[in-house]
């Protein structure tokens, strides 16, 4: 979500360097733009842009809506947004869809007060509002006022607009037939952009709120100006800035949500009210959650909205799509590769043509839906699978972190490995010096990390046959530390053979990277140690005492091919992706620089990683 | 030297230089001859001479162990475009010879064959005999001969300078291999350049059973990742096993871990003061292979001298040389060298040219300007900078220490990226990747208030203690760019760049003597003094000076077991962690130049 500006560019396929002049001309000829202020039940009016077919005779046009805090720009009746003709949305245009984009309450040109991830209110009365009621009111107005509509509405959105899509699904408006939350922001403490398991994603959080978080005193079409960083090097900047208190000073006191983050270090009532999953109990429209297996921002949301509906709202027509994608890549037109990892086909195009379009056509425009419940692309094997459930039936297989760097299915052994975690020299999350958090770190080569003395490395012998995992991965560590808190980062890695090369038919990113011996990150996740027993009630470590740190990482869908090795790396920093743990049990949001100390971390050989191995 | 093939490509490569080959073909004749040496051995020799044979043509000789190819009628395409073309256009006779025992020459090859001062056949006598034959047998020569060569051929150029033949008037040893224990390709201060040595000898070291026009097949490493391959292979005995027992020089390396009489006989500096011809020594400030030889041949023999901001051989490249890695130098420094220094030098001594260059031409990086100097190194003020225990680099020592654990199982990489071939660019690479490791100590100044020029050798005097009985010490002098530094021509984040200006390694056991190594006493403080190769750099105002200290630099250098054992015969189990302490009275002495003409 941090990359939201980037995403806005990408989303409609704007970034594609193609000549769209023919499509542009076609779109201008066949579509007319309107702008409306749609009144909500409390009198607040939301700015809405509507592109409708010129030929609106016959009430046969479905409505496809996105509600966004990122602006429905460009504004003005003559300024057309490229998102509709530059990318895959053109196929909807050819079918005569009515496109609606709305600035959410308090954002850009809409009236009212913006609230970040405004909590859903299941007990609204009278003119009380939330994002669900705003969606209801918007849909109600649209089906009554937009000429030619067929009375069926779909909602979709990526990232923050994915959150608004989930909220739309809770609106209960009868005209809303199909919703696709894509990488939806869902729980900003457990997963998604700003925390994973309670550890703060400082870089994404800070760079997002330094621009997005600024107050909007009145409706505007102008983007806020964020802090200009005089730096090419986020590692340096974030390390030099120091403890979180310094970031608050840089941010100033006008960013409401930044202050909320500091006021709620633990999973308290504030956060619980913002856990969307709990409300997904009686979901009416057909749902299709879409997410990237390598989404650096909202890998959590898509998977967990799907699971919440699947378990709490069993009657809902609910589907899941997982592809090998960065945040929003499925809508970019190009899903051949991510970083150095290649997938052998254009997975984005496949999604756009064969999944999303069919979904909306079926529910909004009398198409036929033959989609399986789960459509998942398995990397390594590089094929799409149509599955009846997600995760599919699997068996839990433990791989033990053994002595001498071994990784073994054969059971626990005694002994331990140790390293010193130094908050003054944190392990970088990626190899190269750069400023903007990369999308590619999710599949990056981990050799740079394996070569550090503060990263433990465990690996199997080359596999004799393929091994496919599908579902959640559990890190089950037995550990002791010399201080009172520490973070744990466990990374599951596919080690390519020394002579590995992709087939020439696999489109890549144009660089020649040494793929022999590549250590591909398949899944990595952090756990803030203090939350090992409860996210609501952190517990200090007792120095030297062995304790269990067990946590679940996001789902993976990957085949470790025969001849590859499985590797696990363990480290205690991942910087500046994740803020540094002072390694003492203090309030991290108010810690002083002097609170940060070295800790000796022991990982016992009774530790394991539990893989969901496909039968 | 390791990249000899790459260099050959540079000097002799194909199509890049073909543009004027037609002219060469019209005006030159190629002849191949076997020239008989005093002991009857015949050396394969190619002569390119002008069709017009008035007796006024100077000769340039290059003796090489890297083949005089192409053999037969085919013309060397480099003559159509590279720096050679300047000499071709001026009517020089060009002579390429396979040295004794190499490729098409008879006899037995011996790596860096020791100079014997006339006592027996050596490379100097072979050069003498060759020159003598040339002036008597090549039509149209003017009786004046020059010699030049880069890298290993630089060694042969230095030996040619010792031939004493009266017709030899001018010699240019460029990046000459000079002392393979102290510096240059195979060791620095006794630490073994494992990667360069292995990749070189796995190709160049195998015996040549009979005369041949072909290179030995390169070793198939089946790896994209030198760090992984060299770490996994383990202790040095495993490398000997991989190579087999037929590589004579490899066996010699293992038999002579210390600076003994065998090595001393191969120290060319001892003889060079007596060289008679005019000399032009040239080399690169960022030459990963033979910077040491460049500096020390000049130191020993004097003469004209050139230091530019170059990788190994870059000065003789036909390609524009505007930079190295991410660092740009603002002008085509190779063209300047070829046009304004090298060609006029030979013209003056061989062809009555009048345009003599200045004695010393040195390019100062940072400032990016050539300076003509009276001598190298110039007069400087020694500026001691202390490695303060809290990370400062300043004029006063302190009584504390900083420490790290050096783990031979996780050595510090010499460069950031995964790759197989040793890069040329590591010499000015960004060191941020290293600064972020817990086993690298970092010391830096505040941003400089004014430009700070350094020129000459850099003395290091570390005050250390270690928990084991041996360790290596790598000291890196780094220029830290300001955060807002921008270079739009470079696709690299240059703000905060940590440019390696100079780095080198000292194998701790040699801190008192290279011939009599000495164990450390665990926990006992001791000094480790050594000298870094010369620098010519201006730390600009607003930049910082940084020093990094670490105990491995892999796989550039072999890992020290960190115990006082014979490293060439150490077992994998001999390699242990060592806790290294660097005390606050450790210092680096910068050759500060307040004012340069």
């Amino acid at each position: 979500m941090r990359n939201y500006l980037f995403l806005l560019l990408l989303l409609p396929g704007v970034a594609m360097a193609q000549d769209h002049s023919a499509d542009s001309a076609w779109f201008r000829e066949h579509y007319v733009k309107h702008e409306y202020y749609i009144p909500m039940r409390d009198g607040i009016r939301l700015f809405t842009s509507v592109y409708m077919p010129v030929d609106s005779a016959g009430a046969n046009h479905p409505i496809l809506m996105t509600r966004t805090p990122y602006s429905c720009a460009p504004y003005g009746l003559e300024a057309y947004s490229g998102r509709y003709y530059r990318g895959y949305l053109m196929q909807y245009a050819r079918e005569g869809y009515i496109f609606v984009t709305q600035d959410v309450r308090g954002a850009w040109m809409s009236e009212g007060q913006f609230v970040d991830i405004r909590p859903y209110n299941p007990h609204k009365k009278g003119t009380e509002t939330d994002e669900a009621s705003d969606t209801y009111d918007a849909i109600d107005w649209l089906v009554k006022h937009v000429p030619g509509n067929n009375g069926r509405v779909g909602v979709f959105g990526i990232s923050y607009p994915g959150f608004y899509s989930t909220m739309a699904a809770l609106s209960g408006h009868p005209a809303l037939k199909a919703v696709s939350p894509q990488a939806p922001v869902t729980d900003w403490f457990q997963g998604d952009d700003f925390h994973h398991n309670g550890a703060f994603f400082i870089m994404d959080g800070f760079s997002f709120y330094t621009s997005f978080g600024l107050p909007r005193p009145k409706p505007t079409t102008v983007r806020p100006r964020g802090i200009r960083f005089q730096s090419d090097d986020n590692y340096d900047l974030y390390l030099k800035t120091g403890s979180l208190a310094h970031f608050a000073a840089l941010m100033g006191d006008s960013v409401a949500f930044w202050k909320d983050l500091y006021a709620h270090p633990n999973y308290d009532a504030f956060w619980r009210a913002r856990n969307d999953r709990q409300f997904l109990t009686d979901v009416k429209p057909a749902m299709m959650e879409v997410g990237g297996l390598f989404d650096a921002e909202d890998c959590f949301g898509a998977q967990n909205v799907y699971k919440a509906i699947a378990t709490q709202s069993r009657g809902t027509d609910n589907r899941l799509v997982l592809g090998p994608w960065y945040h929003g890549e499925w809508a970019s037109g190009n899903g051949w590769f991510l970083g150095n990892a290649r997938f052998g086909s254009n997975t984005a195009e496949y999604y756009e043509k064969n999944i999303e379009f069919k979904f909306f056509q079926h529910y909004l425009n009398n198409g036929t839906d033959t989609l399986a419940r789960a459509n998942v692309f398995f990397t390594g094997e590089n094929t799409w699978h149509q599955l009846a459930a997600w995760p599919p039936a699997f068996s839990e297989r433990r791989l033990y972190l053994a002595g001498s760097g071994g990784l073994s299915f054969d059971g626990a052994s005694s002994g331990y490995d140790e390293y010193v975690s130094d908050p003054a020299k944190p392990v970088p999350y990626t190899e190269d010096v750069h400023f903007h958090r990369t999308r590619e770190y999710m599949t990056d080569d981990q050799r740079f990390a394996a070569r550090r003395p503060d990263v433990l490395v465990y690996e199997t012998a080359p596999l004799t046959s393929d091994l496919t995992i599908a579902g959640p991965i559990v890190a089950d560590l037995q550990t002791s530390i010399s201080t009172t808190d520490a973070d744990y980062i466990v990374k599951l890695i596919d080690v390519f053979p020394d002579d590995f090369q992709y087939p020439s038919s696999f489109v890549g990113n144009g660089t020649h990277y040494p793929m022999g011996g590549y250590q591909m990150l398949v899944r990595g996740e952090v756990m803030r140690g203090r939350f090992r027993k409860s996210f609501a009630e952190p517990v200090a470590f007792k120095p030297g005492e062995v304790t269990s740190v067990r946590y679940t990482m996001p789902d993976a869908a990957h085949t470790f091919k025969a001849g590859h090795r499985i590797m696990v790396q363990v480290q205690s920093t991942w910087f500046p992706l994740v803020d540094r743990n002072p390694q003492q049990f203090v309030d991290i949001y108010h810690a002083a620089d002097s609170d940060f100390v070295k800790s000796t971390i022991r990982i016992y050989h009774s530790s394991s990683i539990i893989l969901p191995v496909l039968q | 030297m390791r990249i000899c093939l790459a260099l050959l490509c540079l000097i002799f490569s194909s199509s890049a230089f073909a543009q004027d080959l037609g002219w060469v073909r019209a005006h030159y004749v190629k002849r191949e001859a076997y020239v008989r040496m005093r002991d009857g051995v015949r050396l394969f020799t190619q002569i390119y001479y002008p069709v017009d044979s008035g007796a006024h043509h100077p000769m340039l000789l290059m003796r090489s162990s890297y083949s005089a190819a192409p053999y037969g009628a085919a013309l060397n395409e480099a003559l159509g475009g590279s720096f050679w073309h300047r000499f071709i256009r001026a009517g020089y006779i060009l002579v390429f010879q396979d040295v004794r025992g190499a490729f098409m020459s008879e006899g037995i090859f011996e790596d860096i064959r020791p100079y014997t001062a006339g006592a027996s056949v050596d490379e100097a006598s072979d050069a003498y005999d060759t020159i003598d034959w040339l002036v008597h047998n090549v039509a149209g020569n003017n009786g004046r001969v020059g010699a030049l060569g880069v890298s290993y051929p630089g060694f042969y150029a230095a030996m040619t300078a010792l031939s004493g033949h009266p017709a030899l008037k001018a010699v240019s040893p460029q990046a000459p291999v000079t002392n393979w224990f102290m510096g240059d390709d195979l060791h620095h201060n006794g630490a073994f350049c494992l990667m360069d040595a292995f990749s070189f000898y796995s190709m160049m070291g195998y015996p040549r059973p009979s005369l041949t026009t072909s290179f030995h097949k390169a070793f198939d490493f089946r790896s994209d990742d030198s760090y992984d391959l060299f770490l996994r292979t383990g202790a040095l005995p495993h490398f000997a096993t991989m190579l087999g027992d037929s590589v004579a020089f490899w066996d010699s390396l293992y038999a002579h871990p210390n600076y003994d009489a065998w090595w001393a006989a191969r120290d060319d500096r001892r003889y060079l003061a007596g060289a008679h011809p005019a000399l032009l020594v040239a080399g690169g400030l960022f030459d990963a292979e033979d910077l040491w030889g460049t500096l020390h041949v000049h130191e020993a023999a004097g003469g004209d001298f050139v230091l530019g901001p170059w990788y190994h051989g870059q000065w003789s490249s036909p390609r524009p040389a505007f930079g190295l890695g991410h660092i740009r130098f603002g002008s085509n420094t190779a063209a300047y060298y070829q046009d304004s220094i090298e060609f006029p030098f030979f013209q003056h001594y061989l062809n009555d040219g009048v345009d003599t260059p200045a004695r010393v031409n040195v390019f100062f990086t940072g400032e990016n300007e050539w300076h003509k100097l009276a001598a190298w190194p110039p007069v400087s003020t020694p500026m001691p900078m202390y490695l303060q225990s809290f990370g400062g680099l300043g004029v006063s020592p302190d009584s504390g220490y900083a420490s790290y654990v050096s783990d031979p199982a996780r050595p510090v990489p010499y460069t950031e990226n995964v790759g197989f071939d040793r890069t040329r660019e590591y010499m000015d690479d960004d060191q941020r990747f290293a600064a972020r490791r817990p086993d690298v100590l970092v010391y830096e100044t505040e941003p400089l208030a004014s430009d700070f020029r350094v020129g000459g050798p850099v003395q290091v005097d570390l005050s250390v203690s270690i928990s084991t009985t041996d360790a290596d010490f790598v000291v890196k002098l780094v220029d830290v760019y300001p955060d807002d530094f921008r270079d739009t021509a470079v696709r690299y984040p240059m703000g905060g760049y940590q440019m390696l200006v100079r780095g080198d390694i000292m194998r701790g056991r040699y801190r008192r003597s290279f011939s009599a190594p000495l164990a450390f006493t665990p926990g006992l403080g001791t000094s480790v003094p050594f000298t870094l190769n010369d620098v010519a750099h201006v730390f600009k105002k607003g930049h910082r000076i940084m020093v990094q200290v670490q105990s491995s630099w892999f796989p550039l250098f072999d890992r020290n077991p960190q115990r006082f054992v014979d490293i060439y015969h150490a077992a994998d189990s001999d390699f242990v962690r060592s806790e290294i302490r660097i005390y606050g009275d450790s210092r680096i002495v910068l050759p500060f130049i307040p004012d340069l003409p």
Side-chain angles (χ1 to χ4, degrees), chain B residues 123-339:
Chain B
E123 301 300 339
S125 74
D126 281 353
Y128 186 101
D129 296 349
T130 300
I131 293 167
D132 209 58
W133 186 91
L134 290 170
V135 294
H136 291 105
N137 291 278
V138 176
N141 81 80
N142 71 358
R144 281 180 272 176
V145 178
L148 79 171
V150 179
S151 192
Y152 217 141
F155 162 81
Y156 292 109
M159 287 295 152
T160 299
L162 292 174
S163 70
H165 196 286
L168 180 69
K169 305 297 183 190
V171 178
S172 182
Q174 303 177 4
V177 168
T178 300
N179 185 317
W180 265 349
F181 189 90
M182 295 299 180
D184 298 327
D185 314 86
L186 299 185
H187 301 80
H188 288 198
N189 295 318
F192 187 36
C193 302
L194 174 60
M195 177 169 47
D196 276 18
F198 192 79
S199 53
F200 185 75
Y201 277 100
S202 62
M203 178 171 175
M204 298 301 294
Y206 286 103
R208 177 203 66 166
S210 58
L211 301 189
T212 181
T213 59
S214 312
F215 278 85
H216 192 277
K217 191 162 58 72
F219 200 86
D220 185 0
F221 292 97
R222 294 180 183 278
S223 172
D224 282 349
D225 182 354
S226 55
Y227 184 102
D228 176 68
L229 179 86
F230 283 88
L231 188 60
R232 210 190 316 176
T233 303
L236 293 184
H238 300 297
F239 290 92
T241 304
M242 276 171 76
L243 210 50
D245 60 3
S246 64
V247 181
F249 198 78
W250 196 258
D251 296 340
S252 299
L253 290 171
Y254 279 54
H256 302 283
N258 305 322
Y259 198 66
D260 54 13
W262 189 86
W263 281 115
R266 287 161 178 78
D267 177 10
D268 302 346
R269 293 175 297 174
R270 308 203 302 186
Y271 318 109
L272 285 167
H276 293 300
L279 290 180
L280 169 65
V281 177
L285 287 161
F286 303 113
D287 184 339
E289 298 164 50
D290 297 302
L291 173 57
W292 196 94
T294 302
L295 298 169
H296 289 87
V297 166
H298 172 67
E299 183 184 39
D304 291 358
F305 187 53
V306 184
L307 273 181
W310 298 313
Y311 65 74
H312 194 56
Q314 191 179 15
W315 52 89
S316 56
S317 168
R319 296 181 184 82
F322 283 96
L324 175 61
H326 305 301
I327 307 298
R328 296 191 310 137
F329 302 122
S331 61
N332 184 350
T333 54
Y336 176 83
Y337 165 76
Q338 293 167 22
D339 291 337

Side-chain angles (χ1 to χ4, degrees), chain B residues 44 92 196 308 414 492:
Chain B
F44 180 88
Y92 279 61
D196 276 18
Y414 81 103
Y492 190 87

Side-chain angles (χ1 to χ4, degrees), chain A residues 335-356:
Chain A
W336 281 95
F337 59 85
L338 177 57
N340 300 309
R342 304 185 190 182
F343 309 123
S345 64
N346 189 342
T347 57
E349 186 182 65
Y350 177 89
Y351 162 79
E352 291 157 7
K353 287 187 174 158
N354 300 308
I355 298 179
E356 188 191 282

Side-chain angles (χ1 to χ4, degrees), chain A residues 233 425 431 451-452 455 516, chain B residues 224-225 410 416 436 440 495:
Chain A
D233 183 355
K425 296 276 184 106
E431 178 173 359
R451 285 158 196 192
R452 291 176 61 102
V455 177
Chain B
D224 282 349
D225 182 354
R410 298 288 175 94
E416 177 173 6
R436 283 155 199 194
V440 177

Side-chain angles (χ1 to χ4, degrees), chain B residues 209-520:
Chain B
S210 58
L211 301 189
T212 181
T213 59
S214 312
F215 278 85
H216 192 277
K217 191 162 58 72
F219 200 86
D220 185 0
F221 292 97
R222 294 180 183 278
S223 172
D224 282 349
D225 182 354
S226 55
Y227 184 102
D228 176 68
L229 179 86
F230 283 88
L231 188 60
R232 210 190 316 176
T233 303
L236 293 184
H238 300 297
F239 290 92
T241 304
M242 276 171 76
L243 210 50
D245 60 3
S246 64
V247 181
F249 198 78
W250 196 258
D251 296 340
S252 299
L253 290 171
Y254 279 54
H256 302 283
N258 305 322
Y259 198 66
D260 54 13
W262 189 86
W263 281 115
R266 287 161 178 78
D267 177 10
D268 302 346
R269 293 175 297 174
R270 308 203 302 186
Y271 318 109
L272 285 167
H276 293 300
L279 290 180
L280 169 65
V281 177
L285 287 161
F286 303 113
D287 184 339
E289 298 164 50
D290 297 302
L291 173 57
W292 196 94
T294 302
L295 298 169
H296 289 87
V297 166
H298 172 67
E299 183 184 39
D304 291 358
F305 187 53
V306 184
L307 273 181
W310 298 313
Y311 65 74
H312 194 56
Q314 191 179 15
W315 52 89
S316 56
S317 168
R319 296 181 184 82
F322 283 96
L324 175 61
H326 305 301
I327 307 298
R328 296 191 310 137
F329 302 122
S331 61
N332 184 350
T333 54
Y336 176 83
Y337 165 76
Q338 293 167 22
D339 291 337
S340 306
I341 302 175
E342 184 185 80
F343 184 64
F345 168 80
F346 283 112
Q347 280 289 85
H348 178 66
Y349 291 106
L350 306 182
N351 212 15
D352 301 321
V354 291
D355 187 16
T356 52
R359 279 184 59 81
V360 172
N361 285 272
V362 175
F363 187 88
F364 279 74
T365 52
E367 169 199 51
N368 291 337
E369 283 182 20
W370 286 102
H371 285 266
K372 296 183 189 301
L373 303 170
W376 185 265
V379 175
S380 63
T381 307
M383 181 76 84
M385 303 288 281
Y386 289 90
L387 280 51
Q388 295 159 341
S389 58
F390 289 100
L393 185 65
V395 295
S396 49
D398 70 32
S399 58
Y401 68 84
S403 72
Y404 57 93
V405 174
S406 168
D407 183 353
R410 298 288 175 94
V412 181
Y414 81 103
T415 188
E416 177 173 6
N417 296 321
V418 173
F420 192 76
D421 293 317
R422 194 263 299 136
T423 72
R424 305 186 288 220
E425 296 78 12
Y426 91 85
M427 294 288 288
D428 66 8
D429 264 355
D430 191 358
Q431 298 299 307
R432 281 180 280 196
F433 76 95
R436 283 155 199 194
R437 290 177 62 102
D439 48 1
V440 177
L441 295 180
V442 178
Y443 305 89
E444 63 179 338
T445 64
E446 291 300 306
L448 299 173
S450 56
D451 290 1
F452 187 88
R453 180 189 302 275
V454 290
V458 177
Q459 306 297 333
V460 171
D461 193 358
L462 298 180
S463 170
V464 313
S465 68
I466 67 174
S467 64
T468 59
T469 52
D470 195 14
D472 288 346
F473 297 89
V474 177
V475 171
K476 299 186 289 191
L477 176 64
V478 173
D479 181 340
V480 184
Y481 288 31
D483 287 348
D484 60 357
F485 187 92
R486 296 288 181 274
D487 183 344
T488 51
V490 178
R491 289 188 55 177
Y492 190 87
M494 296 302 295
Y497 193 87
Q498 295 180 3
M499 174 192 171
L500 184 61
V501 173
R502 179 65 68 232
D504 219 332
I505 190 169
M506 179 69 193
R507 185 137 284 176
R509 60 177 63 192
Y510 298 122
R511 66 198 180 284
R512 297 289 169 266
S513 159
F514 287 102
S515 54
L518 183 67
F520 286 71

